[in-house]
Amino acid sequence: MNATDITAGRGLEALRTAIAGQVFVPGEDGYDQARQAWNLAVDQRPAVVVEAGSAADVAQAVRYARGHGIRIAPQGTGHGAGPLEPLDGAMLLRTTRMRRVSIDPAARTARAEAGAVWQDVTVPAAQHGLAALAGSSPTVGVTGYTLGGGLGWLARRYGLAASSVTAAELVTPDGDLVRADADHEPDLFWAVRGGGGIGVVTALEMRLYPVGELYAGDLFFPIQRAAEVLHAWRAWTDTVPDEVSSQGRLVRLPPAPQLPEPLRGRAFVKVEAAYLGDAGTGAELARPLRRLGPELDTFATIPPPALGQLHMDPDQPVPFHGAGPFLSDFPAAAIDALVGLAGPDTGTLLASVEVGHLGGALARPAPGGGAQPSIDANYLLTAVGAMPAPDLAAAVRAQTRAVKDALGPWHAGYDYYNFAETPAPASAVLPPASYRRLQEIKAAYDPGQVIISAHPAWPARP
Ligand SMILES: Cc1cc2nc3c(=O)[nH]c(=O)nc-3n(C[C@H](O)[C@H](O)[C@H](O)COP(=O)(O)OP(=O)(O)OC[C@H]3O[C@@H](n4cnc5c(N)ncnc54)[C@H](O)[C@@H]3O)c2cc1C
């Protein structure tokens, strides 16, 4: 039995009977829907798709794949499908149905099954006055985001989401369901915290944080003011406490009817920021930027789940490509290079070119941290373009590359795991020491590269 037999539906009866979830092969009703990633630019055509309904299903699927010599690509939403190698001949193991979340308000922790998306956690956590370390989008998967580090709106205060993971339940490439935490499976526990993981995660446990007040919002300025606003924002980032996380951003909004009329189809330079504290102090902190006279100012006291609206990410699947190198600094020359490529009158196809402010807790090694214990960079560049028509793909890719290259002199050495949308090994998205340890762990747990991951690590040679 091999991938060809499986694609033809031969020998799958045992798997279909053994699991509560569903199995699809090419040509069957449901296959096309089950293989579809959130990133619509990615056309994944696996030999078989398994939609697991439980951790036991995941273990069955992994054992089945092992027994039949096929590789396994774990996936939740497919937001991060861009960098994956082609899945021909492989099993796409989707955890989409596994979305149960429980909150322990006394312990200030959450347990999220592998298919949960961030709004599944942030909304119930907020009912207890707690916040999770979610990112910009409520629909991004908790697991993929966290395995790649996880940079969110509270990152300068509380660090990467990966550093707040307290335990992972996962199925090893051999098909064993194990728990990895500070006392068990130390290598697997280390690898899930920013190294992309080893095996198939079935649930994560993580710390939550009490949030008294949260003052956050966007300042919109016409794109013609790109240089002035980005220079002012950059200077402002030197002055703010760790409780402030922010981005300076050049954004082209689509003419979408769901956008407020004054924003529809327009280009802006924006500052987006969140302050963990009261509105009075927040307004004082924001004053230097407000003095610039934004066209629109949305700052207000908000509950933590509303952070998911700040960045205005699309809530439905879209075709896109992006890049995300860490920057050691973002000085005046870098700002001018960015504005020259994506500012006013450039005709860029990129929907968003943004720079996030790092530092704070991100710069301090998390106690007992994992594969991304800290970030040795002060800013993160992100360039993203939508590709609504296939003939735009090459131009969007070239412009993304050009923006990344233009800031080459300030690259910090590696890219951010979660924003590297081009196929690249884990060595391109992790500190060198982390990559070497990941290779050792891979050699011990998955020497045959059974698991296909977003940014693979090649097993260390004996
Ligand atoms: C609109 C948008 C907004 C975003 N905002 C942010 C942000 O603010 N901060 C940030 O850090 N990132 C952000 N990202 C990037 C995002 O974190 C990555 O794309 C991440 O990989 C998405 O995780 P997922 O589970 O949704 O995606 P998936 O494509 O399902 O998973 C991505 C990868 O994670 C691994 N993986 C997923 N599930 C499992 C599992 N159960 N077991 C083992 N491995 C698994 C696999 O390697 C998989 O290929 C954003 C992406 C988008 C599209």
Side-chain angles (χ1 to χ4, degrees), residues 37-39 58 73-84 93-95 114-118 134-137 139-153 160 170 196-203 247 311 313-314 318 320 380 416-419 421 451-455:
W38 193 91
N39 184 348
V58 171
Q75 190 169 80
T77 68
H79 278 80
L84 280 181
L93 180 43
R94 299 206 73 163
T95 57
V117 300
W118 273 116
S136 64
S137 165
T139 67
V140 160
V142 172
T143 300
Y145 169 97
T146 306
L147 293 183
L151 261 172
W153 282 115
L160 286 166
L170 56 94
I198 305 280
V200 185
V201 171
T202 57
Q247 308 206 345
H311 200 61
D313 283 331
V318 288
F320 72 95
L380 169 63
Y416 178 41
Y417 196 112
N418 277 349
F419 290 161
E421 289 289 334
I451 303 294
I452 297 172
S453 77
H455 297 293

